[in-house]
């Protein structure tokens, strides 16, 4: 694999997911839907979750807004298909800490999600990058499946 700088990776991955969003559209059937927005930028995310026991059987999103908000939600939905709820909550926590500059983020563990780290140097866009993840954490809490951390 060619090693890309964080800057290149950021541009490539964000643009790719923005142009070709994964898991976009209403999930049918779903167990919970939650809509949140980021008024600072005008981003909107509607997140659909379907549970199977302690797993996320399905996750999809709908929405509109800037490339960062939509690409981040697309990456999240792609990554968490079939994931355990605990892993989903842990990953969301890790992404939030990375975006807050509290953690470096592990390339191996995060895969292309490490590209989101490129947003850290644009503080006004961090809320864009976290919109989907914040919505996920809230949805897990509302569903009673949130993992206390
Ligand atoms: Zn935005």
């Amino acid at each position: 694999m060619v090693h890309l700088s964080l800057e290149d990776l950021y541009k490539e991955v964000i643009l790719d997911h923005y142009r070709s969003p994964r898991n976009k559209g209403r999930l049918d059937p779903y167990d919970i839907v939650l809509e949140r927005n980021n008024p600072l930028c005008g981003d909107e995310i509607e997140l659909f979750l379907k549970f199977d026991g302690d797993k996320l059987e399905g996750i999809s999103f709908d929405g509109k807004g800037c490339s960062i908000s939509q690409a981040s939600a697309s990456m999240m939905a792609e990554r968490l298909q079939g994931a355990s709820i605990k892993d989903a909550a842990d990953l969301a926590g890790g992404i939030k800490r990375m975006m807050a500059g509290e953690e470096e983020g592990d390339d191996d563990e995060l895969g292309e999600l490490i590209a989101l780290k490129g947003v850290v140097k644009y503080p006004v866009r961090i809320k864009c990058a976290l919109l989907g993840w914040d919505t996920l954490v809230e949805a897990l809490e509302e569903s009673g499946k949130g993992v206390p951390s």
Side-chain angles (χ1 to χ4, degrees):
M1 189 176 150
V2 181
H3 185 76
L4 294 169
S5 71
L6 184 61
E7 187 76 7
D8 290 341
L9 185 70
Y10 164 73
K11 286 184 191 142
E12 188 173 301
V13 172
I14 299 276
L15 276 180
D16 178 48
H17 276 267
Y18 180 57
R19 288 178 182 144
S20 321
R22 327 295 202 259
N23 309 107
K24 187 167 183 188
R26 167 181 294 262
L27 201 62
D28 186 26
Y30 61 83
D31 291 318
I32 188 167
V33 59
L34 191 66
E35 191 178 345
R36 286 292 175 264
N37 61 70
N38 169 22
L40 286 175
C41 183
D43 307 317
E44 296 172 12
I45 292 284
E46 203 177 6
L47 186 68
F48 298 87
L49 301 178
K50 173 95 177 82
F51 300 112
D52 177 16
D54 61 357
K55 277 191 164 169
L56 275 176
E57 184 186 309
I59 170 170
S60 76
F61 78 102
D62 212 343
K64 56 182 186 197
C66 71
S67 57
I68 295 171
S69 66
Q70 303 302 304
S72 181
S74 169
M75 281 189 259
M76 178 181 81
E78 183 175 53
R79 174 64 177 262
L80 293 179
Q81 292 299 327
S84 75
I85 288 161
K86 182 181 185 312
D87 285 352
D90 285 350
L91 185 64
I95 294 285
K96 289 171 78 157
R97 286 191 297 277
M98 179 176 81
M99 300 309 287
E102 297 165 10
E103 259 178 34
E104 277 301 303
D106 181 335
D107 289 43
D108 291 333
E109 194 184 315
L110 292 176
E112 67 178 8
L113 287 169
I114 197 81
L116 292 174
K117 200 171 152 185
V119 180
V120 172
K121 64 179 172 186
Y122 309 105
V124 296
R125 313 309 297 278
I126 291 175
K127 274 192 191 316
C128 304
L130 287 179
L131 179 60
W133 300 90
D134 285 336
T135 308
L136 171 70
V137 170
E138 242 188 278
L140 292 178
E141 281 167 5
E142 266 191 28
S143 69
K145 292 183 182 280
V147 179
S149 52

